Amino acid sequence: EIVMTQSPATLSVSPGERATLSCRASQGVSSNLAWYQQKPGQAPRLLIYDASTRATGIPARFSGSGSGTEFTLTMSSLQSEDSAVYYCQQYNNWLTFGGGTKVDIK
Amino acid sequence: EVQLLESGGGLVQPGESLRLSCAASGFTFSSYAMTWVRQAPGKGLEWVSTISGSGGSAYYADSVKGRFTFSRDNSKNTLFLQMNSLRAEDTAVYYCAKTYYDTLGYMDVWGKGTTVTVSS
């Protein structure tokens, strides 16, 4: 099983700032990586797929990068509505999720 | 509009069974694999199972293999997750999700979830 490790576990940033989230795979997953956003009480929402392609309707301030074992989700000009837990997921070999990064905007 | 609506959750005792359903609309249902993902209280996301568009292939996480069966009725645009021999650790919100391709992949549309509680 491919283990996905996300860091940091929590992140507190001010509105308008930039946040960088990391996701590391225990073995290479090529670019078969997605990022999801989950707000409290809601279902996850797809943000990024194929490591760097934004899903439909996702603003350009969300960007993904990386390949192989190291991936990054960068969120710029953060707004209060971006407070959520962010998960990475690999789909190169079965499916596994990272443990999530909780982002607080305050 | 693409929509997924789960149902069938509830409270059951350990060892009992439950069947979840997911009604889909707004897309060509049989063209896409579909996936169940669960989330235990206060925990992260866990992949449970994926079924191909035809229903001919289903894949399971080790944690549910042999106990859960994923099926679909393409004539009714409906998914079913039969869960047997339920354990306390199966307690979670269960989400059905549309997979972008007709194989294991990322999920581009999610339902709101249905809650399963396994407790005596």
Side-chain angles (χ1 to χ4, degrees):
Chain A
E1 176 185 326
I2 298 177
V3 176
M4 307 301 291
T5 303
Q6 291 186 242
S7 61
T10 61
L11 186 62
S12 184
V13 296
S14 299
E17 290 188 340
R18 169 186 290 215
T20 301
L21 281 58
S22 175
C23 175
R24 174 176 294 178
S26 61
Q27 58 185 272
V29 298
S30 186
S31 295
N32 296 314
L33 185 108
W35 290 93
Y36 301 89
Q37 176 193 65
Q38 187 180 34
K39 297 180 179 180
Q42 296 186 15
R45 178 176 72 147
L46 177 67
L47 295 177
I48 301 285
Y49 62 91
D50 293 346
S52 61
T53 303
R54 276 188 302 277
T56 302
I58 302 303
R61 55 196 183 80
F62 290 89
S63 64
S65 63
S67 66
T69 61
E70 300 283 343
F71 300 88
T72 299
L73 175 67
T74 301
M75 303 183 292
S76 60
S77 303
L78 281 163
Q79 305 172 8
S80 58
E81 67 199 48
D82 300 326
S83 290
V85 180
Y86 292 83
Y87 294 95
C88 63
Q89 175 229 330
Q90 69 81 20
Y91 45 97
N92 191 68
N93 186 342
W94 299 88
L95 304 181
T96 48
F97 290 91
T101 293
K102 183 178 181 180
V103 176
D104 287 326
I105 313 298
K106 46 181 148 179
Chain B
E1 180 188 5
V2 177
Q3 286 191 326
L4 299 170
L5 183 63
E6 303 94 335
S7 61
L11 172 63
V12 295
Q13 295 190 343
E16 292 187 340
S17 299
L18 202 60
R19 189 175 85 154
L20 305 183
S21 299
C22 176
S25 61
F27 63 102
T28 306
F29 183 66
S30 61
S31 294
Y32 297 93
M34 299 295 293
T35 294
W36 288 97
V37 173
R38 68 185 181 184
Q39 186 169 37
K43 302 297 184 183
L45 303 172
E46 179 189 14
W47 171 68
V48 173
S49 182
T50 296
I51 192 167
S52 65
S54 68
S57 298
Y59 312 90
Y60 300 93
D62 287 343
S63 57
V64 306
K65 196 175 297 181
R67 299 188 299 124
F68 289 14
T69 302
F70 194 179
S71 61
R72 63 193 295 163
D73 184 340
N74 285 346
S75 69
K76 297 181 179 179
N77 287 7
T78 304
L79 306 170
F80 304 100
L81 185 67
Q82 178 67 42
M83 304 186 294
N84 298 331
S85 304
L86 282 162
R87 306 166 179 168
E89 54 265 35
D90 295 318
T91 295
V93 175
Y94 285 72
Y95 296 100
C96 73
K98 172 182 167 287
T99 304
Y100 190 74
Y101 298 112
D102 188 16
T103 185
L104 293 162
Y106 59 90
M107 286 70 76
D108 60 342
V109 181
W110 296 64
K112 295 185 185 302
T114 187
T115 300
V116 173
T117 303
V118 184
S119 175
S120 55

Short mmCIF file of all heavy atoms in Angstrom, two decimals, chain B residues 7-34:
data_model
loop_
_atom_site.label_atom_id
_atom_site.label_comp_id
_atom_site.label_asym_id
_atom_site.label_seq_id
_atom_site.Cartn_x
_atom_site.Cartn_y
_atom_site.Cartn_z
N SER B 7 -28.31 6.88 0.75
CA SER B 7 -29.33 6.55 1.74
C SER B 7 -29.03 5.19 2.33
O SER B 7 -28.16 4.47 1.82
CB SER B 7 -30.73 6.56 1.10
OG SER B 7 -30.79 5.59 0.06
N GLY B 8 -29.74 4.86 3.39
CA GLY B 8 -29.61 3.54 3.97
C GLY B 8 -28.80 3.46 5.24
O GLY B 8 -28.71 2.39 5.85
N GLY B 9 -28.20 4.55 5.64
CA GLY B 9 -27.42 4.53 6.87
C GLY B 9 -28.29 4.36 8.10
O GLY B 9 -29.52 4.49 8.03
N GLY B 10 -27.65 4.05 9.21
CA GLY B 10 -28.40 3.89 10.45
C GLY B 10 -27.55 3.28 11.53
O GLY B 10 -26.34 3.12 11.39
N LEU B 11 -28.22 2.89 12.61
CA LEU B 11 -27.57 2.28 13.76
C LEU B 11 -27.80 0.78 13.73
O LEU B 11 -28.95 0.33 13.66
CB LEU B 11 -28.14 2.88 15.05
CG LEU B 11 -27.70 2.23 16.36
CD1 LEU B 11 -26.21 2.37 16.58
CD2 LEU B 11 -28.49 2.82 17.54
N VAL B 12 -26.72 0.02 13.76
CA VAL B 12 -26.81 -1.44 13.80
C VAL B 12 -25.87 -1.96 14.86
O VAL B 12 -24.94 -1.27 15.28
CB VAL B 12 -26.48 -2.08 12.45
CG1 VAL B 12 -27.49 -1.69 11.38
CG2 VAL B 12 -25.06 -1.72 12.02
N GLN B 13 -26.10 -3.20 15.26
CA GLN B 13 -25.23 -3.84 16.24
C GLN B 13 -24.09 -4.56 15.55
O GLN B 13 -24.18 -4.92 14.37
CB GLN B 13 -26.03 -4.83 17.08
CG GLN B 13 -27.11 -4.18 17.93
CD GLN B 13 -27.73 -5.15 18.91
OE1 GLN B 13 -27.59 -6.36 18.78
NE2 GLN B 13 -28.40 -4.61 19.92
N PRO B 14 -22.98 -4.74 16.25
CA PRO B 14 -21.87 -5.50 15.66
C PRO B 14 -22.33 -6.85 15.16
O PRO B 14 -23.12 -7.54 15.82
CB PRO B 14 -20.89 -5.63 16.83
CG PRO B 14 -21.19 -4.46 17.70
CD PRO B 14 -22.67 -4.25 17.61
N GLY B 15 -21.82 -7.22 13.97
CA GLY B 15 -22.17 -8.49 13.36
C GLY B 15 -23.37 -8.42 12.44
O GLY B 15 -23.61 -9.36 11.67
N GLU B 16 -24.11 -7.33 12.51
CA GLU B 16 -25.29 -7.19 11.66
C GLU B 16 -24.92 -6.67 10.26
O GLU B 16 -23.76 -6.39 9.98
CB GLU B 16 -26.32 -6.27 12.32
CG GLU B 16 -26.93 -6.88 13.58
CD GLU B 16 -28.07 -6.05 14.13
OE1 GLU B 16 -28.16 -4.84 13.81
OE2 GLU B 16 -28.88 -6.61 14.89
N SER B 17 -25.95 -6.56 9.42
CA SER B 17 -25.75 -6.13 8.04
C SER B 17 -26.52 -4.85 7.77
O SER B 17 -27.48 -4.51 8.48
CB SER B 17 -26.24 -7.21 7.06
OG SER B 17 -25.50 -8.40 7.23
N LEU B 18 -26.09 -4.17 6.71
CA LEU B 18 -26.75 -2.93 6.27
C LEU B 18 -26.48 -2.78 4.79
O LEU B 18 -25.41 -3.18 4.30
CB LEU B 18 -26.18 -1.74 7.05
CG LEU B 18 -27.00 -0.45 7.16
CD1 LEU B 18 -28.33 -0.72 7.85
CD2 LEU B 18 -26.20 0.61 7.92
N ARG B 19 -27.44 -2.22 4.06
CA ARG B 19 -27.22 -1.96 2.64
C ARG B 19 -27.40 -0.48 2.37
O ARG B 19 -28.48 0.08 2.63
CB ARG B 19 -28.18 -2.77 1.77
CG ARG B 19 -27.83 -2.68 0.28
CD ARG B 19 -28.68 -3.56 -0.58
NE ARG B 19 -29.95 -2.92 -0.95
CZ ARG B 19 -30.62 -3.22 -2.06
NH1 ARG B 19 -30.17 -4.14 -2.89
NH2 ARG B 19 -31.77 -2.63 -2.31
N LEU B 20 -26.36 0.11 1.85
CA LEU B 20 -26.41 1.51 1.44
C LEU B 20 -26.77 1.61 -0.03
O LEU B 20 -26.41 0.74 -0.83
CB LEU B 20 -25.07 2.20 1.67
CG LEU B 20 -24.46 2.13 3.07
CD1 LEU B 20 -23.16 2.94 3.13
CD2 LEU B 20 -25.45 2.60 4.12
N SER B 21 -27.46 2.70 -0.39
CA SER B 21 -27.77 2.98 -1.78
C SER B 21 -27.27 4.36 -2.14
O SER B 21 -27.08 5.21 -1.27
CB SER B 21 -29.28 2.92 -2.02
OG SER B 21 -29.81 1.65 -1.73
N CYS B 22 -27.07 4.56 -3.43
CA CYS B 22 -26.66 5.88 -3.92
C CYS B 22 -27.35 6.08 -5.27
O CYS B 22 -27.08 5.32 -6.21
CB CYS B 22 -25.16 5.98 -4.05
SG CYS B 22 -24.59 7.54 -4.78
N ALA B 23 -28.21 7.07 -5.34
CA ALA B 23 -28.93 7.38 -6.58
C ALA B 23 -28.19 8.47 -7.32
O ALA B 23 -27.87 9.52 -6.74
CB ALA B 23 -30.35 7.83 -6.26
N ALA B 24 -27.92 8.23 -8.59
CA ALA B 24 -27.15 9.16 -9.40
C ALA B 24 -28.03 9.78 -10.48
O ALA B 24 -28.97 9.14 -10.98
CB ALA B 24 -25.97 8.44 -10.04
N SER B 25 -27.71 11.02 -10.86
CA SER B 25 -28.43 11.69 -11.92
C SER B 25 -27.55 12.74 -12.56
O SER B 25 -26.57 13.20 -11.96
CB SER B 25 -29.72 12.33 -11.39
OG SER B 25 -29.42 13.31 -10.41
N GLY B 26 -27.88 13.10 -13.80
CA GLY B 26 -27.19 14.21 -14.46
C GLY B 26 -25.98 13.83 -15.29
O GLY B 26 -25.29 14.72 -15.80
N PHE B 27 -25.70 12.53 -15.42
CA PHE B 27 -24.57 12.10 -16.26
C PHE B 27 -24.86 10.69 -16.78
O PHE B 27 -25.77 10.02 -16.32
CB PHE B 27 -23.25 12.15 -15.49
CG PHE B 27 -23.16 11.24 -14.30
CD1 PHE B 27 -22.45 10.03 -14.36
CD2 PHE B 27 -23.75 11.58 -13.08
CE1 PHE B 27 -22.35 9.20 -13.26
CE2 PHE B 27 -23.65 10.75 -11.97
CZ PHE B 27 -22.96 9.56 -12.06
N THR B 28 -24.04 10.26 -17.74
CA THR B 28 -24.20 8.93 -18.32
C THR B 28 -23.63 7.92 -17.35
O THR B 28 -22.43 7.60 -17.36
CB THR B 28 -23.50 8.85 -19.69
OG1 THR B 28 -23.97 9.90 -20.53
CG2 THR B 28 -23.79 7.50 -20.35
N PHE B 29 -24.49 7.40 -16.51
CA PHE B 29 -24.09 6.63 -15.33
C PHE B 29 -23.18 5.46 -15.68
O PHE B 29 -22.14 5.24 -15.04
CB PHE B 29 -25.35 6.15 -14.63
CG PHE B 29 -25.13 5.41 -13.35
CD1 PHE B 29 -24.60 6.04 -12.24
CD2 PHE B 29 -25.46 4.06 -13.24
CE1 PHE B 29 -24.41 5.36 -11.04
CE2 PHE B 29 -25.29 3.37 -12.05
CZ PHE B 29 -24.75 4.02 -10.95
N SER B 30 -23.53 4.70 -16.68
CA SER B 30 -22.81 3.46 -16.98
C SER B 30 -21.42 3.70 -17.56
O SER B 30 -20.65 2.76 -17.74
CB SER B 30 -23.63 2.60 -17.95
OG SER B 30 -23.83 3.30 -19.16
N SER B 31 -21.09 4.94 -17.87
CA SER B 31 -19.79 5.24 -18.46
C SER B 31 -18.70 5.47 -17.42
O SER B 31 -17.52 5.61 -17.78
CB SER B 31 -19.88 6.49 -19.35
OG SER B 31 -20.70 6.25 -20.47
N TYR B 32 -19.06 5.52 -16.17
CA TYR B 32 -18.10 5.90 -15.14
C TYR B 32 -18.02 4.89 -14.01
O TYR B 32 -19.03 4.34 -13.57
CB TYR B 32 -18.47 7.26 -14.55
CG TYR B 32 -18.41 8.37 -15.55
CD1 TYR B 32 -19.54 8.75 -16.26
CD2 TYR B 32 -17.20 9.01 -15.82
CE1 TYR B 32 -19.48 9.76 -17.21
CE2 TYR B 32 -17.13 10.02 -16.76
CZ TYR B 32 -18.28 10.39 -17.45
OH TYR B 32 -18.21 11.39 -18.39
N ALA B 33 -16.81 4.68 -13.55
CA ALA B 33 -16.65 3.96 -12.30
C ALA B 33 -17.20 4.80 -11.16
O ALA B 33 -17.25 6.03 -11.25
CB ALA B 33 -15.17 3.65 -12.06
N MET B 34 -17.60 4.13 -10.11
CA MET B 34 -18.13 4.81 -8.93
C MET B 34 -17.41 4.27 -7.70
O MET B 34 -16.96 3.12 -7.67
CB MET B 34 -19.63 4.58 -8.81
CG MET B 34 -20.44 5.12 -9.98
SD MET B 34 -20.39 6.91 -10.16
CE MET B 34 -21.28 7.43 -8.68
#
